[in-house]
Amino acid sequence: MNPIHRFGKQAIFSYLVIWFVGSLWMMGVLGSGSFERKWMGIDFAIYHEYACFGFAGALGGALYGLRMFHEHYQELTTQWIYWYLMRPILCFGSAIITIILFESGIMLLEVGDSMSARISIAFLTGYGYGKFMEKLRDLTSTFFNGKNTNGTNENGNGNGSDTPTK
């Protein structure tokens, strides 16, 4: 019998629920300010906002994973195990990086400086992780190659030079 059919589906579901509930709980703990000490060499007083963003991203990733688990329960095969296992972890890191990119000005979006606005962006990054990776790929292509996805250079004239066409 395929291991995914025996206990795999229950394990994946439990794993995603633990990430979902755990992320909500950790955001509450970090938001309450009761966890302001060093843990494993990390001073949470300095990084607690970024931890909140990470857990918001993991929450979005776990929610998306639970949605996909529900929609594709019958078609679930062993090839998807790593996708389900890695989704919350990748979304945790991606959410933090997204906020750093917005704060640095590299990615532009008109969002207020409130904590709830940044947590919302982090959550959406986790939920839409695939779309985020596409945008990140476009950003790096534009940033390092000077071209965007539609084949024009940065000034949009498409002739490969930095001077406008006449």
Side-chain angles (χ1 to χ4, degrees):
M1 176 177 257
N2 190 344
I4 194 77
H5 296 296
R6 187 164 211 176
F7 296 112
K9 290 181 181 181
Q10 294 88 349
I12 290 170
F13 178 75
S14 299
Y15 175 78
L16 292 172
V17 167
I18 288 168
W19 264 103
F20 185 81
V21 173
S23 295
L24 282 173
W25 182 77
M26 281 303 295
M27 287 175 61
V29 168
L30 292 168
S32 70
S34 62
F35 201 89
E36 302 217 2
R37 59 186 168 116
K38 285 189 175 183
W39 185 63
M40 293 177 52
I42 299 172
D43 187 1
F44 273 95
I46 298 170
Y47 298 110
H48 84 279
E49 284 187 2
Y50 291 109
C52 283
F53 304 145
F55 283 114
L59 177 69
L63 180 63
Y64 188 82
L66 285 167
R67 182 179 144 230
M68 290 294 103
F69 181 83
H70 172 72
E71 286 182 15
H72 301 285
Y73 182 80
Q74 297 301 327
E75 299 93 33
L76 189 62
T77 61
T78 54
Q79 75 182 30
W80 290 100
I81 290 175
Y82 292 112
W83 185 92
Y84 284 105
L85 294 178
M86 293 302 296
R87 179 84 186 197
I89 297 165
L90 294 172
C91 294
F92 183 98
S94 296
I96 294 171
I97 295 301
T98 300
I99 298 302
I100 291 171
L101 289 171
F102 281 129
E103 288 176 349
S104 71
I106 291 175
M107 290 179 75
L108 301 176
L109 184 66
E110 293 294 324
V111 178
D113 288 336
S114 71
M115 184 69 165
S116 61
R118 292 184 289 170
I119 286 175
S120 298
I121 294 296
F123 173 82
L124 290 173
T125 299
Y127 191 81
Y129 174 75
K131 297 292 183 192
F132 168 74
M133 292 308 292
E134 290 173 14
K135 292 297 178 188
L136 194 58
R137 189 176 314 122
D138 290 345
L139 177 66
T140 55
S141 178
T142 300
F143 190 71
F144 293 112
N145 296 332
K147 295 184 180 183
N148 59 21
T149 55
N150 64 9
T152 62
N153 65 1
E154 291 174 316
N155 63 11
N157 63 20
N159 68 358
S161 69
D162 290 327
T163 58
T165 56
K166 297 180 183 177

